[in-house]
Amino acid sequence: MKNILSKIEYNSPVVLTFSLLATAIFFIDQIIPLDIINSLFVYRGGFSLISLVQMILWPLGHASIDHLLGNITLILLIGPMLEEKYSSKTILILIIITTVVIGFFQAIIFSSGILGASGIVFMMIILTSFTNMKDGKVPLTFIFIAILFLAKEIYNGIFVTNNISELGHILGALVGMGYIYIVQKNKKKQSI
């Protein structure tokens, strides 16, 4: 048993910690009737002390097991590759930026609350489509993903009544695009 445990590696600290926290929060909320997700992990806008805490924590809360598994599965599938390529520090910073940007715009535009990590998932999807980018060329896979993604989110935003923040998904993708743009711009400067 000890030999098996010595072979297990905590290979992606940001992604694993985020995933474990979100999972633990969900199950604690299910087991102990304190309604902690609704109290601490839903951001509804505002700038009180509790609202600022919620503005950072809301991606860790999930409304259902399907919501949790959908987001965490994708984060665990693509996150470790991104963390290895860009660094744990960069992924953590991008998660925080995505969280704050989505929370800020959600508070300004909508009066409803927000929770869940899908904006972070979409940021990671965009980053993934650029992992094999060479010589500053835009991968066709990125163009295809961007068109499909934007079309779906615009369609859902206009024609589907749901409790999903399509704006959060789009903003998460824009954070990913913004990071890739900055990285490519810095590469061009360094090569000159």
Side-chain angles (χ1 to χ4, degrees):
M1 179 73 164
K2 186 177 180 182
N3 192 23
I4 293 171
L5 291 177
S6 69
K7 299 206 182 270
I8 297 174
E9 178 186 6
Y10 203 76
N11 63 314
S12 186
V14 171
V15 167
L16 284 168
T17 302
F18 181 91
S19 299
L20 289 169
L21 282 171
T23 303
I25 288 163
F26 179 79
F27 284 107
I28 288 168
D29 189 65
Q30 296 298 303
I31 294 166
I32 303 170
L34 296 175
D35 202 22
I36 61 168
I37 288 180
N38 193 42
S39 302
L40 288 174
F41 298 95
V42 176
Y43 179 60
R44 294 177 182 85
F47 297 101
S48 67
L49 180 60
I50 190 69
S51 293
L52 293 176
V53 169
Q54 291 165 334
M55 187 178 207
I56 299 298
L57 297 180
W58 66 264
L60 293 170
H62 289 82
S64 69
I65 191 71
D66 291 335
H67 188 210
L68 174 74
L69 289 176
N71 286 333
I72 298 306
T73 300
L74 286 168
I75 287 172
L76 288 170
L77 280 171
I78 61 180
M81 173 187 59
L82 295 173
E83 198 166 336
E84 184 177 322
K85 177 173 174 110
Y86 296 110
S87 83
S88 297
K89 180 180 176 184
T90 298
I91 295 302
L92 178 60
I93 290 168
L94 288 172
I95 287 172
I96 292 168
I97 290 170
T98 302
T99 298
V100 172
V101 166
I102 294 170
F104 179 77
F105 280 99
Q106 180 76 17
I108 289 174
I109 297 171
F110 302 105
S111 60
S112 60
I114 188 167
L115 78 159
S118 44
I120 292 167
V121 168
F122 282 101
M123 176 267 296
M124 288 183 170
I125 289 170
I126 295 300
L127 289 179
T128 302
S129 60
F130 280 97
T131 54
N132 295 324
M133 187 172 180
K134 296 175 184 144
D135 302 325
K137 295 182 180 174
V138 177
L140 183 57
T141 53
F142 164 72
I143 294 169
F144 194 51
I145 287 170
I147 290 169
L148 288 174
F149 164 75
L150 286 173
K152 176 186 169 272
E153 295 307 311
I154 291 168
Y155 176 85
N156 286 345
I158 295 171
F159 298 110
V160 178
T161 303
N162 59 33
N163 289 327
I164 297 171
S165 174
E166 282 82 11
L167 176 65
H169 297 170
I170 292 168
L171 290 171
L174 289 175
V175 170
M177 287 180 206
Y179 177 73
I180 295 300
Y181 174 78
I182 291 167
V183 166
Q184 291 305 310
K185 192 173 178 180
N186 287 337
K187 280 185 182 178
K188 284 182 184 177
K189 283 182 184 179
Q190 292 173 357
S191 66
I192 294 177

